[in-house]
């Protein structure tokens, strides 16, 4: 009798786990689909010069530029954030250090995911810029200059991929009470990067939106095979808030070969 009860409870736990797994898998697929479709639609609107989007871009650029010209201290803060703290070189260096630490911890597959996601994001962004060839805003008395093409914003895309990598790796190491706060800081940083690029007059708003969507697409698509590997090894999926590999807190994060 006890054995039957135990088996019945085990089957019920498996069914509940399967339902949660299915729901999370559908959510991940929906997120990737929204990001891909959203970026594709935005690219079409940018390439076709859709008037409402063009008016939004020019209005935001003009108003923020006027404010930047009349508030030099504000502009100096934007330069500090954009060119130093949230600069792509700074963020990529942080990801590189994190990847080296993962290799030291023998979290080989998680290190590979972090490196591939960062490199893929950079290459896809450069390729998209070369294909679209959109010119940057041309404003009178510019307060900043940037080389290359405009769409998508490399700063916005790098911030999206980098902060996603940092949080998805480090979340298991954070106290539970701190995770939400750290996720909020990461999201605000990504939004802040986009704002600085538009406020400094080196990107259109749609460039920043494109960088966010394309960065999110890269992260969603590279995380998919990592989650598939976890499923194949019997570890299963975990909520995004807990990171990609909760076992990182253990002495041996990955299962033995």
């Amino acid at each position: 009798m006890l054995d039957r009860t135990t088996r019945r409870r085990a089957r019920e736990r498996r069914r509940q786990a399967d339902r949660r797994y299915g729901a999370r898998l559908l959510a991940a697929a929906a997120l990737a689909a929204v990001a891909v479709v959203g970026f594709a639609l935005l690219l079409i609107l940018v390439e076709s010069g859709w008037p409402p989007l063009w008016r939004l871009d020019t209005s935001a650029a003009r108003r923020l530029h006027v404010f930047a010209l009349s508030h030099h201290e504000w502009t100096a803060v934007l330069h500090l954030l954009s060119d130093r703290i949230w600069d792509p070189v700074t963020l990529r260096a942080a990801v590189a250090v994190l990847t080296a630490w993962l290799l030291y911890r023998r979290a080989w597959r998680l290190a590979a995911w972090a490196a591939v996601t960062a490199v893929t994001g950079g290459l896809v962004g450069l390729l998209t810029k070369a294909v679209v060839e959109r010119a940057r805003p041309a404003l009178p008395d510019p307060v900043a200059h940037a080389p290359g093409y405009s769409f998508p914003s490399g700063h916005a895309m790098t911030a999206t991929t980098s902060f996603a990598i940092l949080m998805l790796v480090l979340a298991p190491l954070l106290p539970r009470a701190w995770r939400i706060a750290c996720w909020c800081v990461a999201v605000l940083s990504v939004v802040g990067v986009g704002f600085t690029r538009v406020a400094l007059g080196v990107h259109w708003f749609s460039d920043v939106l494109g960088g966010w969507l394309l960065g999110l697409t890269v992260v969603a698509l590279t995380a998919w095979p990592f989650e598939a590997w976890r499923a194949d090894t019997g570890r299963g999926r975990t909520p995004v808030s807990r990171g990609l590999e909760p076992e990182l807190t253990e002495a041996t994060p990955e299962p033995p070969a």
Side-chain angles (χ1 to χ4, degrees):
M1 181 66 178
L2 183 59
D3 289 342
R4 284 200 298 271
T5 301
T6 301
R7 287 196 296 270
R8 185 168 59 251
R9 289 176 177 173
R11 285 196 299 271
E12 180 60 27
R13 284 196 297 269
R14 284 196 298 268
R15 282 195 292 267
Q16 291 176 358
D18 288 341
R19 286 194 290 269
R20 288 194 296 268
Y21 175 78
R24 291 167 182 166
L25 185 61
L26 288 174
L31 178 62
V34 168
V36 171
V37 173
F39 178 78
L41 178 59
L42 179 63
L43 178 57
I44 292 172
L45 295 179
V46 168
E47 287 283 71
S48 64
W50 191 47
L53 181 61
W54 176 247
R55 286 195 294 269
L56 175 62
D57 277 341
T58 54
S59 175
R62 183 175 61 253
R63 292 182 181 184
L64 288 173
H65 183 61
V66 170
F67 189 85
L69 286 175
S70 57
H71 297 79
H72 298 291
E73 296 82 4
W74 167 251
T75 304
V77 172
L78 294 180
H79 274 291
L80 174 64
L81 292 172
S82 182
D83 301 338
R84 295 290 184 269
I85 299 176
W86 288 330
D87 182 68
V89 174
T90 303
L91 296 179
R92 287 168 184 156
V95 172
V97 171
L98 178 67
T99 303
W101 178 76
L102 290 173
L103 292 174
Y104 170 76
R105 287 293 319 279
R106 298 180 181 275
W108 313 115
R109 294 167 185 83
L110 192 58
W113 172 80
V116 168
T117 301
V119 173
T120 301
L123 293 178
V124 169
L126 290 174
L127 179 61
T128 306
K129 282 177 179 286
V131 171
V132 178
E133 294 185 344
R134 189 186 197 187
R136 293 181 182 271
L139 301 170
D141 300 320
V143 297
H145 299 275
Y149 294 115
S150 190
F151 183 90
S153 166
H155 276 67
M157 186 173 178
T158 301
T160 303
T161 55
S162 297
F163 279 106
I165 291 169
L166 293 171
M167 286 306 304
L168 289 173
V169 170
L170 297 177
L173 305 177
L174 298 172
R176 189 172 183 177
W178 282 75
R179 287 178 191 163
I180 295 178
C182 290
W183 274 107
C184 289
V185 169
V187 171
L188 289 175
S189 296
V190 172
V191 173
V193 170
F195 177 80
T196 62
R197 302 309 285 169
V198 178
L200 288 172
V202 293
H203 276 294
W204 306 106
F205 169 73
S206 55
D207 298 336
V208 169
L209 182 58
W212 289 337
L213 289 172
L214 193 55
L216 184 60
T217 299
V218 169
V219 173
L221 293 180
T222 58
W224 208 313
F226 187 87
E227 292 290 352
W229 166 76
R230 286 184 58 84
D232 289 342
T233 57
R235 293 194 165 193
R237 293 177 57 83
T238 58
V240 172
S241 60
R242 292 183 58 197
L244 284 181
E245 194 164 66
E247 296 83 3
L248 195 60
T249 56
E250 301 174 5
T252 54
E254 295 186 0

